[in-house]
């Protein structure tokens, strides 16, 4: 089969671009180390630089990137000349080498976009590099051949890494995500099959009871009586056999799905680990940036990076790069003082900027801090007044003003501060990744920017909600509270709806209204179901029609043609394969806080003479208790709460309830023990019990029913409709 030369060339170029990114970073780091290292280490650093230039030269030759090849040749000459003692790479020569590293990075950008290298800065630097070498005594145009061969051998021996084009990695990750989605779907079918078995069992028992009644009525028709009894027995036996066969199928399917789930989970974990990259990767350019800014401003600054080995989704790292650079520039420009000012304040002349990363559960916290002067609140207030921005007396809230679009206290736009871009762009980029940004400051001691980001963008722990007739999801990390409030608690202030929570006035808006969906009807209890969303720009209370469940969701990007609203950020794939639109919490908050949202939310005041049924919710998870409480109260039930089985048992001694909804795995007394205790009590035995648990095996289900539960719901398939339907059946 003939070789497709064009296809081969594209593959070689993709591999080369990966090498180019790695080697250009190594080149820049080596040059910065050369600038700062002592004499003893200098030769070792030069050897590394020579090896990098040599490797990149060979790679460039393989794809006919002649300008890069020539640049690397002259860099080899420069590093080799100092190793031979012919020249010394002083500050002026080092600056030329650093510009060459920048030009190589620019060349990568141009190759990716099929732009000509000749129009970039690379060609102009070649004569300057050649001039450095020409000043050396007995300069040669190439290192000694033997030395070149030795270095080539070293490079080949060291290059044992397997290179994978980013497009290939993205395709592999997407296939893994698709496999996870497909692997979850049979779980919903298993739940339906298990539910079918329960219905067959119930019908068999019901038919048995109904089958006895005709026989007692027809006492004088012995033949008919015998026929009916015989038919009843056969039908009951047939149903029992069918139930037994289905249970065997369920057992085998459960075991197969368990094994499949483990295999998929292990594969997904391995693929996700490939997707993750160390935080240190996006910090590689910071020393160079900091060095250049310090030189331009006359300030002295050192950089400290902590948590470089923390691994984060590489997509997040790529998108975090520019915001991080902006915050470092901002810290130098607005935070770090001039050396003489620092000395007068009793500080070291050299300022310190610290960039750190640490894990916080399912999020990574990135902090950019400086030991400078802190935020200048007098200038912030001055500029807020000049730009007609609301001026908050509270300094912690006033500090959030710096994130507003177009806000800047820089006296003039420069390459360092201002640049026509403010911290609003940083905030927007962070929130687009479902993250949150906040600022803390102390006058005279410094400022900290705290970024909280998900570890990965491929999955999200989301709260499922409903507005109009559409399912939505919102990142649970951005949900501050879940509330059921009387509509009478909603007030009107300056033409819009607000509510007072924790001593603060928070705007209220209907999710359906914000998204242009049919306006929801307030239920007959006159209460609103509200989720309070939180971001750096503040909080907002969002009224929803329903709360369903909290789930681990697979996130899929939306086709741009379908993304009609900035409030929708992606699609969340549910375990049964259906889709819920993932909401952009920051956009919802901004929309709710906008002055144009001036409609007042009111409730239907029609009274109902019915007495609400009372339900005891038992769960050791505060989130689950709150979610179930809101679902039940929205449906018109009265709810009391218990944190575990023992707490529930004590409550039942004093409180009358119509039904119990309980988790199983709880401290002190679990759900099985609580169910058995209730059924053993003559006074409480008649209370219906619904178990809601993560324990999905048939053995656990059977144990729950044997203990006396009236219904058994698995959390993986749990939603609002399932819970309410089960309650209606047993009440």
């Amino acid at each position: 089969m003939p070789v497709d030369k064009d296809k081969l060339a594209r593959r070689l170029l993709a591999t080369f671009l990966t090498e180019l990114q790695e080697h250009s970073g190594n080149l820049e780091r080596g040059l910065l180390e050369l600038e700062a290292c002592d004499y003893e280490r200098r030769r070792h650093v030069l050897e590394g630089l020579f090896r990098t230039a040599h490797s990149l030269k060979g790679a460039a030759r393989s794809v006919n990137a002649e300008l890069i090849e020539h640049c690397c040749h002259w860099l080899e000459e420069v590093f080799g000349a100092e190793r031979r003692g012919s020249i010394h790479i002083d500050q002026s020569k080092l600056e030329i080498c650093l510009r060459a590293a920048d030009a190589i990075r620019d060349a990568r950008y141009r190759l990716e976009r099929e732009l000509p290298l000749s129009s970039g800065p690379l060609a102009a630097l070649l004569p300057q590099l050649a001039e450095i070498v020409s000043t050396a005594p007995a300069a040669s145009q190439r290192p000694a051949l033997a030395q070149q061969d030795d270095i080539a051998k070293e490079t080949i021996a060291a290059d044992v890494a397997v290179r994978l084009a980013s497009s290939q990695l993205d395709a592999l990750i997407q296939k893994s995500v698709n496999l996870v989605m497909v692997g979850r779907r049979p779980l919903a079918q298993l739940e339906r099959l298990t539910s079918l078995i329960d219905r067959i069992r119930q019908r068999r028992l019901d038919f048995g009871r109904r089958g006895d009644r005709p026989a007692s009525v027809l006492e004088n028709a012995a033949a008919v009586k015998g026929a009916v009894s015989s038919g009843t027995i056969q039908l009951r036996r047939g149903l029992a056999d069918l139930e037994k066969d289905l249970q065997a199928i369920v057992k085998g399917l459960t075991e197969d799905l368990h094994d499949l789930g483990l295999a998929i989970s292990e594969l997904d974990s391995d693929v996700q680990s490939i997707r993750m990259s160390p935080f240190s990767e996006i910090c590689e350019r910071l020393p160079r940036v900091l060095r250049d800014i310090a030189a331009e401003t006359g300030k002295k600054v050192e950089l400290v990076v902590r948590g470089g080995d923390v691994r984060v989704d590489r997509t997040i790292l790529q998108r975090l790069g520019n915001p991080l650079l902006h915050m470092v520039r901002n810290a130098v420009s607005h935070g770090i003082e001039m050396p003489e000012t620092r000395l007068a304040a009793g500080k070291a002349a050299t300022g310190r900027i610290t960039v750190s990363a640490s894990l916080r559960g399912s999020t990574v916290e990135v902090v950019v801090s400086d030991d400078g002067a802190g935020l200048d609140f007098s200038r912030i207030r001055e500029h807020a007044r000049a730009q007609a921005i609301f001026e908050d007396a509270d300094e912690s809230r006033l500090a959030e003003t710096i994130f507003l679009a177009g806000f800047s206290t820089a006296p003039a736009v420069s390459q360092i501060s201002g640049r026509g871009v403010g911290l609003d762009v940083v905030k927007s980029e962070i929130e687009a990744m479902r993250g949150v940004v906040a600022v803390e400051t102390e006058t005279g001691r410094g400022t900290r920017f705290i970024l909280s980001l998900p570890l990965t963008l491929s999955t999200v722990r989301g709260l499922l909600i409903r507005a109009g007739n559409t399912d939505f999801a919102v990142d649970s990390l951005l949900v501050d509270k879940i509330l059921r409030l009387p509509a009478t608690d909603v007030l009107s202030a300056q033409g819009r709806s607000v509510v007072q929570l924790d001593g603060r006035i928070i705007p209220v808006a209907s999710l359906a209204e914000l998204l242009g969906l049919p306006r929801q009807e307030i239920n007959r209890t006159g209460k609103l179901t509200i989720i309070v969303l939180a971001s750096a720009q503040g909080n907002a209370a969002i009224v929803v029609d329903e709360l369903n469940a909290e789930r681990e969701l697979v996130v899929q990007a939306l086709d741009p043609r379908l993304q009609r609203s900035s409030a929708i950020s992606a699609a969340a794939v549910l375990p049964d394969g259906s889709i819920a639109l993932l909401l952009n919490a920051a956009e919802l908050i901004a929309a709710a806080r906008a002055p144009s949202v001036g409609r007042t939310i009111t409730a239907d005041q029609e009274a109902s003479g019915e007495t609400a049924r009372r339900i005891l919710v038992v769960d050791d998870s505060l989130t689950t208790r709150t979610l179930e409480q809101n679902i039940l109260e929205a449906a018109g039930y009265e709810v009391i709460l218990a944190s575990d089985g023992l707490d529930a048992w004590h409550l039942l001694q004093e409180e009358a309830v119509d039904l119990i909804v309980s988790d199983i795995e709880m401290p002190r007394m679990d759900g099985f023990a609580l169910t058995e205790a209730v059924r053993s009590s003559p006074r409480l035995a008649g209370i219906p019990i619904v178990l809601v648990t993560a324990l999905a095996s048939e053995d656990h289900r059977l144990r729950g029913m044997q203990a006396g539960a009236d219904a058994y719901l698995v959390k993986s398939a749990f939603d609002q409709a399932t819970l309410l339907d089960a309650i209606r059946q047993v009440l």
Side-chain angles (χ1 to χ4, degrees):
M1 181 181 291
V3 177
D4 187 333
K5 294 183 178 179
D6 289 339
K7 186 175 182 180
L8 177 60
R10 287 194 298 270
R11 289 174 58 187
L12 285 173
L13 180 60
T15 303
F16 173 67
L17 290 175
T18 303
E19 285 190 85
L20 186 56
Q21 180 177 12
E22 177 184 336
H23 289 315
S24 61
N26 291 339
L27 192 62
E28 184 176 80
R29 284 192 298 275
L31 289 168
L32 291 176
E33 186 176 2
L34 188 69
E35 182 181 39
C37 70
D38 56 22
Y39 177 80
E40 294 296 328
R41 177 145 180 86
R42 191 172 182 88
R43 182 169 182 82
H44 175 77
V45 175
L46 282 167
E47 288 174 355
L49 285 166
F50 192 100
R51 189 179 299 112
T52 297
H54 179 82
S55 299
L56 187 53
K57 182 179 72 173
R61 185 185 300 120
S62 69
V63 294
N64 298 319
E66 292 185 356
L67 280 178
I68 299 177
E69 180 187 355
H70 294 160
C71 180
C72 291
H73 160 67
W74 287 115
L75 284 171
E76 273 187 309
E77 291 287 326
V78 171
F79 303 141
E82 175 159 336
R83 291 170 69 198
R84 294 190 301 271
S86 302
I87 65 170
H88 172 69
I89 302 176
D90 57 17
Q91 195 63 36
S92 62
K93 295 181 179 66
L94 186 74
E95 290 291 345
I96 295 173
C97 293
L98 282 169
R99 289 202 298 273
D102 290 340
I104 290 173
R105 183 176 280 111
D106 173 82
R108 181 181 186 276
Y109 174 88
R110 292 174 181 277
L111 287 172
E112 279 184 320
R113 290 155 181 79
E114 299 183 354
L115 299 173
L117 296 184
S118 57
S119 60
L122 197 57
L125 278 164
L126 296 182
Q128 298 179 53
L129 289 169
E131 186 178 355
I132 295 175
V133 180
S134 68
T135 62
S140 63
Q141 288 208 344
R142 286 188 178 272
L145 185 60
Q147 183 184 45
Q148 188 174 0
D149 289 343
D150 289 342
I151 293 172
K153 291 175 183 177
E154 290 177 22
T155 305
I156 293 170
D159 188 14
V160 294
V162 177
R163 302 189 187 279
L164 186 66
S166 59
S167 59
Q168 294 175 299
L169 179 58
D170 289 339
L172 177 63
I173 290 169
Q174 186 57 52
K175 289 175 182 177
S176 173
V177 170
N178 292 340
L179 183 60
V180 172
M181 291 162 48
V182 172
R184 289 179 177 179
R185 290 177 189 169
L187 293 174
Q189 303 303 324
L190 180 62
E191 287 300 320
R192 293 190 179 96
L193 186 56
T194 304
S195 177
L196 175 62
I197 293 174
D198 289 342
R199 292 204 302 273
I200 290 174
R201 181 188 297 120
Q202 190 61 48
R203 295 294 184 273
R204 175 170 57 83
L205 296 174
D206 290 347
F207 187 82
R209 288 192 289 269
R210 288 197 302 269
D212 290 338
R213 287 196 292 271
S216 63
V217 173
L218 301 175
E219 293 179 355
N220 297 323
V224 175
K225 177 180 178 181
V228 170
S229 298
S230 175
T232 299
I233 292 171
Q234 288 180 14
L235 185 54
R236 290 177 65 184
R237 285 176 178 171
L239 288 173
D241 290 342
L242 177 60
E243 181 184 336
K244 183 177 180 181
D245 290 343
L246 287 174
Q247 285 176 341
I249 292 172
V250 166
K251 183 178 180 182
L253 184 58
T254 300
E255 293 172 353
D256 291 344
L257 286 176
H258 178 265
D259 294 342
L260 176 63
L262 286 177
I264 291 176
S265 178
E266 290 175 1
L267 175 62
D268 184 57
S269 177
D270 289 344
V271 172
Q272 291 298 336
S273 68
I274 297 173
R275 185 190 187 106
M276 310 297 268
S277 297
F279 177 72
S280 58
E281 283 191 4
I282 61 165
C283 298
E284 290 176 351
R285 293 199 63 196
L286 296 182
R288 171 71 185 282
V289 170
L290 208 60
R291 169 193 179 275
D292 293 347
I293 297 173
E296 185 173 340
T297 59
K299 296 179 178 180
K300 295 182 177 180
V301 190
E302 67 173 349
L303 176 71
V304 176
V305 176
R306 294 174 180 156
D309 57 345
V310 171
R311 299 183 69 81
V312 186
D313 188 322
R314 67 185 183 88
T315 304
I316 290 179
L317 288 181
Q318 290 168 356
R319 294 174 63 175
L320 185 59
N322 286 333
L324 198 60
L325 283 174
H326 184 83
M327 285 187 291
V328 168
R329 291 192 185 102
N330 187 77
V332 177
S333 177
H334 294 284
I336 301 298
E337 313 95 327
M338 296 297 290
E340 58 272 18
T341 304
R342 292 180 62 87
L343 289 171
K347 296 182 177 181
T350 301
R352 173 177 290 185
I353 293 176
T354 303
V355 177
S356 64
S358 57
L359 297 179
R360 297 284 186 270
S362 60
T363 65
V364 58
E365 183 178 271
V366 177
V367 179
V368 179
S369 62
D370 65 72
D371 65 349
L375 294 182
D376 188 340
F377 286 110
S378 62
R379 295 194 66 185
I380 291 175
R381 285 194 173 92
E382 177 186 338
H383 284 265
R385 294 190 193 107
Q387 299 177 39
I389 298 172
F390 174 72
E391 180 186 340
D392 201 313
D394 186 296
E395 288 190 345
S396 64
R397 291 199 284 270
L398 180 63
E400 297 172 1
T401 307
I402 64 177
F403 295 111
L404 297 178
F407 186 89
S408 176
T409 60
V413 172
S414 71
Q415 287 300 308
I416 300 171
S417 64
R419 300 172 62 90
V421 176
L423 286 170
D424 63 302
V425 176
V426 172
K427 180 180 73 67
S428 297
E429 184 63 30
I430 298 304
E431 290 180 341
M433 292 186 284
R434 307 196 309 270
V436 177
V437 58
V439 60
E440 297 175 355
T441 188
E442 186 175 351
T443 301
R445 298 183 65 86
T447 303
R448 300 174 74 240
F449 287 91
I450 304 103
L451 316 178
S452 295
L453 294 156
L455 285 175
T456 177
L457 296 179
S458 62
T459 60
V460 60
R461 186 69 181 173
L463 178 65
L464 298 179
I465 56 181
R466 193 170 180 82
N469 296 315
T470 308
D471 293 319
F472 297 96
V474 63
D475 192 333
S476 296
L477 292 174
L478 303 177
V479 178
D480 185 47
K481 289 182 176 67
I482 300 174
L483 304 169
R484 287 280 297 161
L485 291 179
T488 52
D489 284 2
V490 179
L491 308 174
S492 179
Q494 299 179 346
R496 67 180 180 185
S497 298
V498 297
V499 66
Q500 185 172 2
L501 294 175
D502 302 326
R504 298 181 65 179
I505 299 299
I506 298 177
V508 182
S510 161
L511 178 58
E513 200 168 311
L514 291 176
L515 299 177
L517 301 173
R519 186 172 179 178
Q520 64 183 28
E521 295 292 331
I522 305 301
N523 69 63
R524 59 184 174 78
T525 65
K527 287 192 174 182
L528 303 173
T529 301
I530 290 175
I531 58 173
V532 180
L533 302 178
S535 78
Q537 68 200 74
N539 293 6
I542 307 298
V543 181
V544 300
D545 290 358
E546 295 179 10
L547 291 171
N548 282 331
E550 190 179 31
R551 298 258 177 80
E552 192 73 25
L553 304 171
V554 176
V555 177
Q556 296 278 287
L558 278 177
D559 187 312
R561 294 169 295 181
L562 303 177
Q563 193 156 353
R564 300 177 182 177
S565 170
S566 58
I568 307 297
S569 62
V573 184
L574 306 182
D576 64 357
S578 61
I579 299 294
L581 297 175
L582 186 63
L583 295 170
N584 184 328
E587 288 290 336
L588 290 180
I589 293 170
R593 297 175 68 89
S596 60
V597 182
R599 293 167 286 276
T600 303
I601 297 173
T602 57
D604 179 4
Q605 298 299 323
E606 178 184 350
S608 173
E610 297 181 16
T611 302
R613 308 295 290 272
R614 201 176 200 204
I615 296 178
L616 170 62
V617 171
V618 191
D619 201 297
D620 60 330
S621 166
L622 176 60
T623 301
T624 302
R625 288 201 307 271
T626 304
L627 178 62
E628 292 178 356
Q629 178 186 16
N630 281 277
I631 290 173
L632 295 173
E633 288 183 346
Y637 296 107
E638 180 185 349
V639 178
I640 59 174
L641 303 173
S643 59
D644 61 23
L646 189 58
D647 185 22
W649 180 250
H650 290 154
L651 276 173
L652 288 169
Q653 308 313 307
E654 301 179 358
E655 302 282 350
V657 301
D658 298 297
L659 180 136
I660 299 170
V661 175
S662 177
D663 187 19
I664 289 180
E665 296 177 295
M666 298 179 291
R668 300 199 299 173
M669 178 186 284
D670 65 20
F672 292 138
L674 174 62
T675 302
E676 291 169 350
V678 170
R679 290 293 176 255
S680 300
S681 168
R683 182 174 62 86
L684 305 174
I687 299 176
I689 299 176
V690 176
L691 295 179
V692 181
T693 176
L695 302 176
S697 73
E698 182 61 27
D699 289 342
H700 285 114
R701 180 186 296 275
L702 182 60
R703 183 180 171 189
M705 303 307 286
Q706 288 175 341
D710 296 272
Y712 191 103
L713 305 181
V714 179
K715 288 182 178 179
S716 62
F718 167 84
D719 58 26
Q720 173 171 300
T722 305
L723 176 62
L724 295 178
D725 183 57
I727 289 174
R728 282 192 291 268
Q729 288 187 33
V730 300
L731 270 180

